[in-house]
Amino acid sequence: MPKVPRRSNRGPAAAPENRRALIDAARRVFAQRGYLAPLSAIAQEAGVGQGVLYRHFPTRLDLALAVFEQHFAELEAIAAEPDAGAFGRLWSRLLELTVEESAFVEMFLATRRDLAQTDLADRLPALIQATLPRAQAAGLVPDSLTASDVLLVQRMVYGVVATSISDDEVRDAVTRALGLLGGVLEG
Amino acid sequence: MPKVPRRSNRGPAAAPENRRALIDAARRVFAQRGYLAPLSAIAQEAGVGQGVLYRHFPTRLDLALAVFEQHFAELEAIAAEPDAGAFGRLWSRLLELTVEESAFVEMFLATRRDLAQTDLADRLPALIQATLPRAQAAGLVPDSLTASDVLLVQRMVYGVVATSISDDEVRDAVTRALGLLGGVLEG
Amino acid sequence: MPKVPRRSNRGPAAAPENRRALIDAARRVFAQRGYLAPLSAIAQEAGVGQGVLYRHFPTRLDLALAVFEQHFAELEAIAAEPDAGAFGRLWSRLLELTVEESAFVEMFLATRRDLAQTDLADRLPALIQATLPRAQAAGLVPDSLTASDVLLVQRMVYGVVATSISDDEVRDAVTRALGLLGGVLEG
Amino acid sequence: MPKVPRRSNRGPAAAPENRRALIDAARRVFAQRGYLAPLSAIAQEAGVGQGVLYRHFPTRLDLALAVFEQHFAELEAIAAEPDAGAFGRLWSRLLELTVEESAFVEMFLATRRDLAQTDLADRLPALIQATLPRAQAAGLVPDSLTASDVLLVQRMVYGVVATSISDDEVRDAVTRALGLLGGVLEG
DNA sequence: CATGAATGAGCTTTCATTCAT
DNA sequence: CATGAATGAAAGCTCATTCAT
């Protein structure tokens, strides 16, 4: 009786591959259609069934976190570098992510409340904390600057990005914003 | 061609009342459930039928604009005052709105793209422009400050508010943010 | 309290004028947007309130009938002419109405079932009946032709009009259809 | 993000079954309530959720086409028979469909404009064309009859069916109509 | 009598989630 | 384990109809 044609079932080996495909698809779809895009669209973009999506990521937030995770992994790699310039590179990359991946911003805002239940909120501070002192010891950054200040500046940059009308205006506005902040932090 | 058992009909006289009720309901519902809250929830909260909502505000944006409008009217009233202190009061109130009505922020973000088609984007700059010179002439504000700077600072404050985890943290964070900006602008 | 601005209320004298405006509007709107066009659109097109429409025409069918009525009045005027050529002119005009006013056709189809409750179905036969014998006596039409045949031919022409893909094709198709019917009836 | 208490799920195996049920339901509902009947009524009649209807038939027209398709399949089967009588049987069946399935007629009228975008309009002519010559060669049909004539006669029959007041009257009226057409085509 | 706003049922459409295969 | 169809609860939106003014 069952004459329902199926696509191949590549077996358990495909699981990690599917997971990666889903995360990539999620980033693309979230970026293109916003954080509230249909999950089915993400499954389709990833080329997998919807069931697979649910197996890997029971909730939309889980998927969002996985996307964040990739970025965090990158930032953590930078922070792990032992030299005094790590903080500067970390800040640079953070700024870039903030400016370039507007979906990153939107997703963060959309999940803000839920994020409180995760450790995400603590990871970025930790990275700053881990690298800032070394930079200050090397005289690369004023001693008066606290990790809290850095995070606050990033939130302010968020604000500029989030409220920008056009993509073109963003970079200039961010530069001016950092300018207003004086020498507190350079982009 | 539906049979229509109906309830009451307060008549056309209810129109302005309904309009006001809808705007108020929209503000509440947007604040509580976000800008993408069901319009039906707004109609219900306002105690009117869905048709009434659509008659008054054909699109979600129309409703958002009406909510904005109330705030703008208030700001414009402040800006219309002729004394040198108008700018300070305008900025104070703007800061308050930004901090207190987080829905105001979210709505602005959500409608940003559509807002480009309206004149809303120009109205706030105009208010700043109209009041800033007088404040500078009176020595209340540094001459180096431009209207553009003021708007940028507001966007930065937006960022702090938008990314705040809890409502409690907001005020303090904003204060610190303004502190980082040095004497550029006082809350 | 009631500060609801209204348009002028021209009093009872305006009633017949409104009625006519509604019928005209109905013809236009039905033609443009189909028989199921919103009644509100008709009221608006007529420049009257919706209440007026309901006062004059309680149901959509009443409005349709009024539109029909205008055409019937014209046909009845033709049929009332005493000469032998009346039938020919009646048929000519009927054919024209059938071909040109496709909304007339659509409306008739849409209201077919309801129309059975009216006397509309009998009026056209009556006109044929009243004029056909005179034409036959004058030798203008074959004696074998019955009123029933005439009506049947009209329904066949309806079919051709109703199923035409483009407006351009209609006239030619009708001509060919009448040709197939031989000399039974000339357009 | 709705909570979803669910009932049963017959699984993907139900797909073809559902598809068939939807087409059957569509035929029934279109016949009973007209082509513009609520799609929800069709889903209900088919005993499936609304989503299933939309998955199988994204638009109302898709559903209509599927219904048409069944009839066409039947007619094409007849036309595929190689004997000289195929045309006669094709015409007979076409006449029957026209007379019996008045929804078929109505649907065709309602979708006429959209149908122009499909190949449906060409398929019937093709069937006539394919079978008529053989019948003429066998002397079963006058040589003067063209495929175009056949289609025109069908449209005329359409007209009679479409304008019939009661179902009872239809057969007799069609017979008389074909009679008026002389020996052009026999039912 | 005319006006046109209010009402709310009803329909279309979309998706999150489940689950038979 | 993967697939992708089924499910059905929302929403959005439209209009026929009523009725206060």
Side-chain angles (χ1 to χ4, degrees):
Chain A
M1 279 93 161
K3 44 176 187 277
V4 181
R6 278 305 147 69
R7 205 171 288 180
S8 77
N9 184 333
R10 287 162 308 171
E17 190 181 327
N18 282 346
R19 194 190 152 82
R20 227 170 305 119
L22 278 166
I23 295 176
D24 284 352
R27 186 174 21 245
R28 281 195 299 277
V29 171
F30 283 158
Q32 259 190 348
R33 310 180 49 176
Y35 178 64
L36 293 178
L39 294 182
S40 57
I42 294 174
Q44 193 171 31
E45 171 87 10
V48 304
Q50 307 209 174
V52 177
L53 190 157
Y54 275 86
R55 170 174 303 276
H56 288 292
F57 306 104
T59 75
R60 184 185 295 271
L61 181 59
D62 292 314
L63 198 45
L65 290 180
V67 175
F68 281 139
E69 191 55 42
Q70 287 198 333
H71 289 309
F72 266 109
E74 187 190 353
L75 294 178
E76 275 160 359
I78 296 176
E81 295 164 10
D83 66 310
F87 172 77
R89 292 192 299 277
L90 179 68
W91 173 246
S92 259
R93 183 62 185 134
L94 185 56
L95 218 48
E96 257 176 59
L97 282 176
T98 304
V99 172
E100 280 170 14
E101 301 229 17
S102 69
F104 188 70
V105 177
E106 189 196 339
M107 208 185 322
F108 184 87
L109 292 177
T111 57
R112 187 162 22 132
R113 293 287 129 96
D114 302 320
L115 246 37
Q117 298 157 3
T118 74
D119 66 340
L120 257 192
D122 300 327
R123 286 172 68 184
L124 188 53
L127 295 184
I128 310 280
Q129 201 61 62
T131 52
L132 181 57
R134 245 179 299 139
Q136 288 175 325
L140 296 172
V141 175
D143 283 348
S144 60
L145 190 73
T146 66
S148 187
D149 289 339
V150 176
L151 290 165
L152 202 53
V153 171
Q154 197 229 349
R155 288 165 69 181
M156 294 165 92
V157 175
Y158 260 171
V160 173
V161 174
T163 58
S164 69
I165 300 292
S166 77
D167 288 353
D168 303 335
E169 183 236 5
V170 182
R171 295 203 160 267
D172 179 54
V174 169
T175 305
R176 287 198 299 127
L178 292 175
L180 281 183
L181 283 161
V184 171
L185 258 176
E186 311 292 305
Chain B
M1 291 142 191
K3 292 137 195 148
V4 181
R6 213 41 65 80
R7 199 156 300 183
S8 86
N9 182 341
R10 303 197 316 266
E17 191 182 326
N18 282 345
R19 196 190 148 84
R20 229 169 303 122
L22 279 167
I23 294 177
D24 285 352
R27 184 170 25 240
R28 279 195 301 277
V29 172
F30 282 159
Q32 262 188 347
R33 310 181 46 177
Y35 178 63
L36 293 178
L39 294 181
S40 54
I42 294 174
Q44 195 170 30
E45 171 87 12
V48 304
Q50 305 221 156
V52 176
L53 188 158
Y54 278 86
R55 166 178 295 276
H56 286 292
F57 306 104
T59 74
R60 186 183 293 272
L61 182 59
D62 291 315
L63 196 46
L65 290 179
V67 175
F68 281 140
E69 191 56 42
Q70 288 197 332
H71 291 309
F72 266 107
E74 187 189 353
L75 295 178
E76 274 160 358
I78 296 176
E81 295 164 11
D83 65 310
F87 171 78
R89 290 191 300 275
L90 180 67
W91 172 248
S92 259
R93 183 63 185 133
L94 184 56
L95 219 48
E96 257 177 60
L97 283 175
T98 304
V99 171
E100 281 171 12
E101 303 232 12
S102 68
F104 187 70
V105 177
E106 191 195 341
M107 208 184 324
F108 185 87
L109 292 176
T111 58
R112 185 157 29 125
R113 293 288 128 93
D114 301 321
L115 245 37
Q117 296 159 2
T118 72
D119 66 339
L120 258 191
D122 300 327
R123 288 172 66 183
L124 187 54
L127 296 184
I128 309 282
Q129 201 64 268
T131 52
L132 181 57
R134 242 179 301 140
Q136 289 174 326
L140 297 173
V141 176
D143 281 349
S144 58
L145 191 73
T146 67
S148 188
D149 291 339
V150 175
L151 291 165
L152 202 55
V153 170
Q154 198 230 347
R155 287 166 69 181
M156 295 165 90
V157 174
Y158 261 170
V160 172
V161 175
T163 58
S164 69
I165 299 293
S166 76
D167 289 354
D168 303 335
E169 181 237 2
V170 181
R171 293 205 162 266
D172 178 54
V174 169
T175 305
R176 288 197 299 127
L178 291 176
L180 282 183
L181 283 161
V184 170
L185 258 177
E186 311 291 308
Chain C
M1 280 98 157
K3 44 176 183 277
V4 182
R6 278 307 146 73
R7 204 170 287 181
S8 78
N9 181 335
R10 288 161 309 170
E17 190 181 328
N18 283 345
R19 194 190 150 83
R20 227 170 304 122
L22 279 167
I23 295 176
D24 284 352
R27 186 173 22 245
R28 281 195 299 277
V29 172
F30 283 158
Q32 262 190 347
R33 310 181 47 177
Y35 177 65
L36 294 178
L39 294 181
S40 57
I42 294 174
Q44 193 171 31
E45 171 88 11
V48 304
Q50 305 208 172
V52 177
L53 189 157
Y54 276 85
R55 169 175 304 277
H56 287 292
F57 307 103
T59 75
R60 185 184 292 271
L61 180 59
D62 291 315
L63 197 47
L65 291 179
V67 175
F68 281 140
E69 191 56 41
Q70 287 198 332
H71 290 309
F72 266 109
E74 187 190 354
L75 295 177
E76 275 160 357
I78 296 176
E81 295 164 12
D83 66 310
F87 171 77
R89 292 193 298 277
L90 179 67
W91 173 247
S92 262
R93 185 61 186 133
L94 185 55
L95 219 48
E96 257 177 59
L97 283 176
T98 304
V99 172
E100 281 170 11
E101 302 232 12
S102 67
F104 187 71
V105 177
E106 188 196 341
M107 208 185 319
F108 185 86
L109 292 176
T111 58
R112 183 158 32 124
R113 294 285 129 94
D114 301 322
L115 246 37
Q117 298 158 2
T118 74
D119 67 339
L120 256 192
D122 301 326
R123 286 171 68 183
L124 188 54
L127 296 184
I128 310 282
Q129 202 61 66
T131 51
L132 181 57
R134 245 179 297 140
Q136 289 176 323
L140 297 172
V141 175
D143 282 350
S144 59
L145 191 75
T146 67
S148 187
D149 291 340
V150 175
L151 290 164
L152 202 54
V153 170
Q154 197 231 348
R155 287 165 70 181
M156 294 164 91
V157 174
Y158 260 170
V160 172
V161 174
T163 58
S164 68
I165 300 294
S166 77
D167 288 354
D168 303 335
E169 183 236 3
V170 181
R171 292 203 162 268
D172 179 52
V174 168
T175 305
R176 287 197 300 126
L178 292 176
L180 281 183
L181 284 161
V184 170
L185 258 177
E186 312 291 305
Chain D
M1 291 144 194
K3 292 138 196 150
V4 180
R6 212 44 63 79
R7 197 155 304 180
S8 87
N9 183 342
R10 300 196 320 260
E17 191 182 326
N18 282 345
R19 197 191 147 84
R20 229 170 302 122
L22 279 167
I23 295 177
D24 285 353
R27 186 170 24 240
R28 281 195 299 278
V29 172
F30 282 159
Q32 264 188 348
R33 310 180 47 176
Y35 178 65
L36 293 178
L39 293 181
S40 53
I42 294 175
Q44 194 169 31
E45 171 88 11
V48 304
Q50 306 225 151
V52 176
L53 189 156
Y54 277 86
R55 166 178 292 276
H56 286 291
F57 306 103
T59 74
R60 185 183 294 272
L61 181 59
D62 290 316
L63 197 47
L65 290 180
V67 175
F68 279 140
E69 193 55 42
Q70 288 197 333
H71 291 310
F72 265 108
E74 187 190 354
L75 294 178
E76 274 159 0
I78 296 176
E81 296 165 9
D83 66 309
F87 171 77
R89 291 192 299 277
L90 179 67
W91 172 248
S92 259
R93 184 61 186 134
L94 185 56
L95 218 50
E96 260 176 58
L97 283 176
T98 306
V99 171
E100 282 170 9
E101 303 232 12
S102 67
F104 187 70
V105 177
E106 191 195 340
M107 208 186 318
F108 184 87
L109 292 176
T111 58
R112 189 157 25 129
R113 292 289 127 94
D114 301 320
L115 246 35
Q117 296 159 2
T118 73
D119 66 341
L120 258 192
D122 300 326
R123 286 170 68 183
L124 188 53
L127 295 185
I128 310 280
Q129 202 63 266
T131 51
L132 181 58
R134 243 178 300 139
Q136 289 176 324
L140 297 172
V141 175
D143 282 350
S144 59
L145 191 73
T146 67
S148 187
D149 291 340
V150 176
L151 291 163
L152 201 55
V153 170
Q154 198 230 346
R155 287 167 70 182
M156 295 164 89
V157 174
Y158 261 169
V160 173
V161 174
T163 58
S164 69
I165 300 294
S166 76
D167 289 353
D168 304 334
E169 182 235 5
V170 182
R171 295 205 160 265
D172 178 53
V174 169
T175 305
R176 288 197 299 126
L178 292 175
L180 281 182
L181 283 162
V184 170
L185 258 177
E186 312 291 305

